[in-house]
Amino acid sequence: MVIQLGIIGLSADQSAWASMAHVQAIKPGGPLAHQYKLTALATSKPESAKAAAEFHGVPVEKAYSKPEDMASDPDVDMVVVSVKVPMHKQLAMPALHAKKNVFVEWPLGANLAEAEEMAALAKKQGVKTYVCLQARCQPAFVKVKELVASGALGRIISTTVLGIDSSMIHLPEKARYINDPDSGASMLSVPVTHALDVVLHALASEFSSLSATSTITHPTIAFNSPRGSKSAPEPRTGADNVAITGILTPSGAPLSLHYLVATAATPSTFQWTICGEKASLRMEGASFAVQMMPPKLFMAEVPRGGEQKGIYDSTEEGGAGWKEIEVPVSGLGVFGGVAEVYEKIAEGKAEAEGLVGFEEAVVRHRMVEAVERSVREGRRVSYL
């Protein structure tokens, strides 16, 4: 069955996220065109909606400027909300009331209360929901999850994540809303949570408790215009340096994460190490945005042979060293890893296989709220 999509936030701008990440795979000639059809779209104004419809080949009568109109369209099976975080709830609720399936970018809401309200309505209406935490569907992270689940690493002793992000020292003008503390789009809620979500998913874990600290390392921020000019610096309102430590359940292993925004003097990086008794994994990449640019995967094992009888008998420090594991490349070839989510939705994959519904997204929002609470109160907290 072909799924008929209505995308809120799809404009004629080819550089916009919805155009790059949501449309490329499903448009005519795309790898998922046999499973999806773009039947409607919506923007904030009738004029821009008409221009977008003409650009994307959607009938003009299916170009909406009100979410209620799309929600009532019988030719839309699933509504996609791909706009700035503060508008997610306002634009998704009409579709939920109309009993449409709904796919929303992460974060689901601007705060925990909004996410809980949306999840409650979705459950009441009995609709299918999806949240775009797409790193779970990236082949490299799928491989990590498979290796952990297979027991190849043995007991997990500890896991550590380091993220350095020099791309966030300044932001494009269209992302100015991120500097609003009420927007729901902070360094913690977006880049840090995208990374933490896939780490926890791959380890089949949550924090049983956590402790966090954060600070503003760079007190000002400027915004770059499309023409190349830069705005005057203004006060940065959200933390750009976040450290989280906690104990995982059910394994009891500790997890630590440190994310910081750096200047161009420090290249961006993502490093994740899982230390196991029998083997360990390491992921390394040149971007902390792992949901869009997945890192390479390496494995190290306890050397076997000779007189070594068990995992604690090795006398060779560091084992046999890190060896890269070849990971299948996605054949979808679409920016942002979002196409992998669409593929799993069309195949009817379960949440355990990488899809995130509204109820699970609420758990992730509770984790974010717990980190913020720990920072405020200076104590260890839990969210389960």
Side-chain angles (χ1 to χ4, degrees):
M1 182 187 76
V2 174
I3 300 173
Q4 300 178 107
L5 290 182
I7 302 180
I8 300 177
L10 180 59
S11 70
D13 181 0
Q14 296 184 65
S15 68
W17 176 253
S19 297
M20 292 190 298
H22 286 269
V23 172
Q24 297 303 310
I26 65 169
K27 68 181 182 181
L32 302 179
H34 64 293
Q35 295 173 308
Y36 290 93
K37 182 180 180 180
L38 178 62
T39 56
L41 58 81
T43 66
S44 58
K45 299 178 181 178
E47 298 79 12
S48 59
K50 180 180 178 182
E54 293 173 347
F55 182 83
H56 292 286
V58 173
V60 174
E61 62 270 20
K62 300 289 188 178
Y64 302 115
S65 57
K66 296 180 180 179
E68 294 81 7
D69 293 337
M70 178 179 285
S72 63
D73 189 333
D75 295 323
V76 172
D77 301 318
M78 183 166 74
V79 172
V80 179
V81 179
S82 181
V83 298
K84 296 175 181 179
V85 181
M87 301 296 292
H88 284 184
K89 177 193 167 188
Q90 175 183 337
L91 298 177
M93 292 295 273
L96 295 173
H97 281 293
K99 294 190 175 182
K100 301 284 189 183
N101 296 335
V102 181
F103 180 13
V104 181
E105 292 280 359
W106 172 263
L108 174 56
N111 51 54
L112 174 59
E114 286 191 1
E116 289 177 330
E117 184 178 352
M118 295 163 71
L121 179 58
K123 184 176 182 179
K124 177 183 177 182
Q125 298 294 76
V127 298
K128 295 179 180 178
T129 58
Y130 309 96
V131 176
C132 200
L133 285 164
Q134 69 266 36
R136 294 186 179 201
C137 300
Q138 294 279 14
F141 290 105
V142 172
K143 184 64 175 178
V144 172
K145 186 172 178 63
E146 290 174 352
L147 287 168
V148 171
S150 73
L153 277 62
R155 182 172 64 91
I156 303 301
I157 300 170
S158 182
T159 188
T160 304
V161 181
L162 171 65
I164 301 174
D165 197 343
S166 58
S167 70
M168 292 295 202
I169 192 70
H170 300 301
L171 293 172
E173 179 65 37
K174 62 183 178 182
R176 181 182 287 271
Y177 78 101
I178 292 176
N179 203 40
D180 177 355
D182 296 323
S183 71
S186 65
M187 298 299 104
L188 167 62
S189 67
V190 181
V192 171
T193 300
H194 267 291
L196 259 182
D197 175 75
V198 74
V199 165
L200 294 171
H201 176 69
L203 295 173
S205 300
E206 290 288 342
F207 285 108
S208 61
S209 64
L210 62 84
S211 179
T213 58
S214 69
T215 187
I216 297 178
T217 308
H218 309 284
T220 63
I221 186 171
F223 299 92
N224 303 318
S225 76
R227 298 178 298 278
S229 61
K230 186 177 294 185
S231 71
E234 58 185 69
R236 187 186 291 265
T237 62
D240 56 12
N241 198 315
V242 181
I244 303 168
T245 61
I247 302 299
L248 299 179
T249 181
S251 69
L255 181 155
S256 64
L257 174 144
H258 187 195
Y259 169 84
L260 62 138
V261 173
T263 69
T266 309
S268 294
T269 187
F270 171 83
Q271 297 176 11
W272 176 27
T273 303
I274 308 172
C275 297
E277 280 189 313
K278 295 194 299 183
S280 295
L281 296 176
R282 172 175 288 178
M283 299 193 86
E284 295 181 349
S287 172
F288 192 73
V290 294
Q291 72 277 16
M292 296 186 287
M293 289 169 276
K296 292 183 178 181
L297 176 61
F298 302 86
M299 188 172 186
E301 300 178 86
V302 170
R304 301 296 175 87
E307 297 179 354
Q308 295 170 4
K309 305 296 184 181
I311 58 177
Y312 285 98
D313 296 327
S314 173
T315 58
E316 184 177 344
E317 184 177 349
W322 296 104
K323 295 182 180 179
E324 185 172 357
I325 297 177
E326 293 296 326
V327 176
V329 178
S330 171
L332 298 176
V334 180
F335 179 83
V338 180
E340 284 81 358
V341 180
Y342 277 110
E343 183 178 46
K344 289 183 180 290
I345 291 173
E347 294 173 355
K349 299 293 184 181
E351 285 189 14
E353 296 180 77
L355 295 180
V356 182
F358 282 13
E359 288 191 13
E360 190 171 1
V362 166
V363 175
R364 201 52 65 235
H365 271 280
R366 287 174 180 157
M367 183 196 75
V368 172
E369 190 274 336
V371 171
E372 294 171 338
R373 182 157 36 97
S374 177
V375 169
R376 284 195 313 270
E377 300 176 2
R379 64 182 181 90
R380 182 169 295 276
V381 300
S382 61
Y383 59 91
L384 297 177

